Amino acid sequence: MKGFSTRLEQVQEYYFSQKLKEVNQLIAEGRPVINMGIGSPDLPPHPNVIAALTAAASKPQAHGYQSYQGNPELRKAIADFYLRHYQVNLSPESEILPLMGSKEGIMHLSMAFLDEGDEVLIPNPGYPTYTSVTKMLKVNPIYYDLLPGNQWQPDFKALGELDLKKVKIMWVNYPHMPTGAKASLSLFEKLIAFGKENDIIIAHDNPYSFILEENPLSIFNVGGAMEIAVELNSLSKTANMPGWRVGMVLGKKEWIQAILRVKSNMDSGMFLGIQQGAIAALELDKSWFVGLNNIYAERRALIWELAERLDLQVDRDTVGLFVWAKAPAGIEVGNLVDTLLYDKNIFVTPGKIFGSNGEDYVRFSLCVPIEKIKEALSRV
């Protein structure tokens, strides 16, 4: 054998892919591990979503190849969803591309715009996939700091002092994962201004905008954003459909066409039943989000209590699917995570996997039933 691709030298197996093997092995050995590490919603989709999938699966035409750009009905449902919830008007014909999860959109977008030797601005801390995709394409990651003293927002003065000539894309994500920092129109306005001034695409990753947030925002709420920004979104968290793999990328016609040129060579369309289920999810009214957030709020209050029992510091003015907790001085987070896993059978995520600015933090997921959180409380 002649060997593997050199791009594998740039990346490791995704942390959760690797760590969950260990967690699952402990469970197989009889250990009662409570998984508070991964943000995979444990609640079911709405019954209308299941019904739509079931009905579609019985149709003769359901099992053939589907449109590369998603069926028109799905694109219209996405457009209607954006208008109803974000007050953003998008063309379903030219400004929307459904994806098999927004994670694949990170790769497709990157392949459409980046060449070897280009540079990308990546938040620290931030979603690890921004880095792994960048490195696999032999593009240079340029990390920009997000710090608690600045509410986990970019320092635009520091960014302006960088050499940005080779930077093509800036990844941003608000509400922010992992910190829970909120989105705001003022922040989006600064990002759009920065992108225009430096001719950098602002790629906004927006899967958490409804979780514990009463006023969801899109970067397209800012005038002129369509000229310089794209937005990724997903039904994984919004509609409890992580395994269905339904996402979307939104932007101006030329950019959506460029991403489609990549995507159409990577898959052959989304199963019709999943598309019909996605339409049903997109048509849910506000009561769905209220009910979902009532559950998450109850869970979050207990996880705040758990964090405090562990002498961890939390910021309660946050949103999203996680609790970001700071360890006290003198506590090594890796040791804390291992102690919780091996001594208390509780798995939490070390903040360092999200970047060096997460070294002193751990992340708790809200995707854990109340009784499991109470059990974790009893263990510590």
Side-chain angles (χ1 to χ4, degrees):
M1 180 177 175
K2 293 183 178 180
F4 298 110
S5 167
T6 55
R7 70 173 52 88
L8 290 184
E9 298 171 4
Q10 307 299 316
V11 294
Q12 301 296 320
E13 183 180 5
Y14 189 52
Y15 173 80
F16 288 111
S17 171
Q18 186 178 48
K19 194 65 178 179
L20 287 178
K21 293 175 187 175
E22 181 182 356
V23 170
N24 290 334
Q25 180 60 39
L26 291 172
I27 293 172
E29 294 170 0
R31 300 279 292 274
V33 177
I34 298 172
N35 185 349
M36 308 182 88
I38 193 166
S40 178
D42 59 305
L43 299 166
H46 192 280
N48 290 358
V49 176
I50 305 296
L53 168 67
T54 304
S58 64
K59 296 178 180 179
Q61 71 271 28
H63 307 288
Y65 291 123
Q66 303 298 316
S67 168
Y68 289 101
Q69 59 192 119
N71 290 355
E73 296 82 3
L74 175 56
R75 284 183 274 116
K76 183 179 185 304
I78 294 170
D80 291 345
F81 179 88
Y82 257 73
L83 185 59
R84 186 166 66 254
H85 292 288
Y86 297 113
Q87 295 76 54
V88 170
N89 195 2
L90 296 166
S91 166
E93 287 79 28
S94 60
E95 296 174 338
I96 295 170
L97 180 62
L99 303 169
M100 293 182 182
S102 60
K103 190 174 186 179
E104 77 153 13
I106 296 171
M107 175 62 87
H108 293 341
L109 191 154
S110 298
M111 292 181 71
F113 287 97
L114 300 172
D115 291 311
E116 184 174 345
D118 287 338
E119 295 179 347
V120 172
L121 288 170
I122 296 176
N124 175 16
Y127 186 32
T129 297
Y130 306 145
T131 291
S132 57
V133 165
T134 297
K135 288 184 175 181
M136 278 195 285
L137 296 180
K138 297 186 177 180
V139 173
N140 299 320
I142 307 297
Y143 297 100
Y144 64 93
D145 288 327
L146 303 180
L147 299 172
N150 198 36
Q151 291 76 53
W152 303 103
Q153 296 185 9
D155 181 338
F156 290 97
K157 183 176 184 295
L159 284 171
E161 294 171 354
L162 298 175
D163 180 357
L164 301 171
K165 290 192 295 293
K166 293 184 178 180
V167 175
K168 282 190 176 178
I169 293 175
M170 178 182 186
W171 286 106
V172 295
N173 160 226
Y174 292 93
H176 184 249
M177 196 292 296
T179 69
K182 296 179 179 179
S184 71
L185 286 177
S186 62
L187 171 59
F188 288 163
E189 287 167 354
K190 292 174 185 175
L191 286 165
I192 295 306
F194 175 79
K196 288 182 176 180
E197 181 180 349
N198 295 281
D199 193 25
I200 294 171
I201 296 167
I202 304 299
H204 182 232
D205 192 13
N206 194 24
Y208 298 101
S209 55
F210 288 87
I211 307 301
L212 294 169
E213 174 59 79
E214 294 183 3
N215 300 300
L217 294 175
S218 162
I219 202 162
F220 295 127
N221 290 129
V222 173
M226 188 65 72
E227 301 167 24
I228 199 67
V230 294
E231 182 161 280
L232 294 168
N233 214 323
S234 168
L235 296 185
S236 293
K237 280 72 177 179
T238 301
N240 295 339
M241 297 167 65
W244 294 55
R245 310 312 303 138
V246 181
M248 61 210 75
V249 60
L250 314 122
K252 61 184 177 181
K253 179 179 178 179
E254 309 93 283
W255 290 1
I256 294 299
Q257 285 297 315
I259 298 167
L260 177 60
R261 286 172 65 182
V262 174
K263 176 180 166 54
S264 62
N265 284 287
M266 306 280 285
D267 66 63
S268 297
M270 188 187 301
F271 174 52
L272 180 63
I274 290 178
Q275 294 193 62
Q276 292 300 121
I279 292 169
L282 290 161
E283 291 174 346
L284 295 173
D285 62 25
K286 192 172 182 179
S287 65
W288 164 257
F289 303 106
V290 171
L292 195 62
N293 285 331
N294 286 340
I295 294 170
Y296 283 137
E298 186 179 6
R299 293 178 176 186
R300 183 176 63 178
L302 287 173
I303 290 179
W304 280 341
E305 183 180 343
L306 176 62
E308 289 171 355
R309 285 197 191 180
L310 293 166
D311 294 324
L312 303 173
Q313 179 184 347
V314 298
D315 178 359
R316 299 192 178 213
D317 187 26
T318 54
V319 295
L321 203 58
F322 306 98
V323 169
W324 184 242
K326 185 176 183 179
I331 298 296
E332 205 284 312
V333 167
N335 292 336
L336 172 63
V337 169
D338 286 345
T339 297
L340 286 173
L341 178 57
Y342 301 121
D343 294 352
K344 305 295 184 181
N345 292 307
I346 300 170
F347 172 51
V348 300
T349 304
K352 66 181 180 181
I353 75 163
F354 305 107
S356 60
N357 289 333
E359 286 279 355
D360 297 329
Y361 293 82
V362 295
R363 193 194 72 174
F364 296 84
S365 169
L366 301 184
C367 302
V368 187
I370 286 286
E371 59 272 17
K372 291 287 188 182
I373 304 173
K374 289 180 177 178
E375 170 62 23
L377 275 163
S378 71
R379 294 181 189 180
V380 300

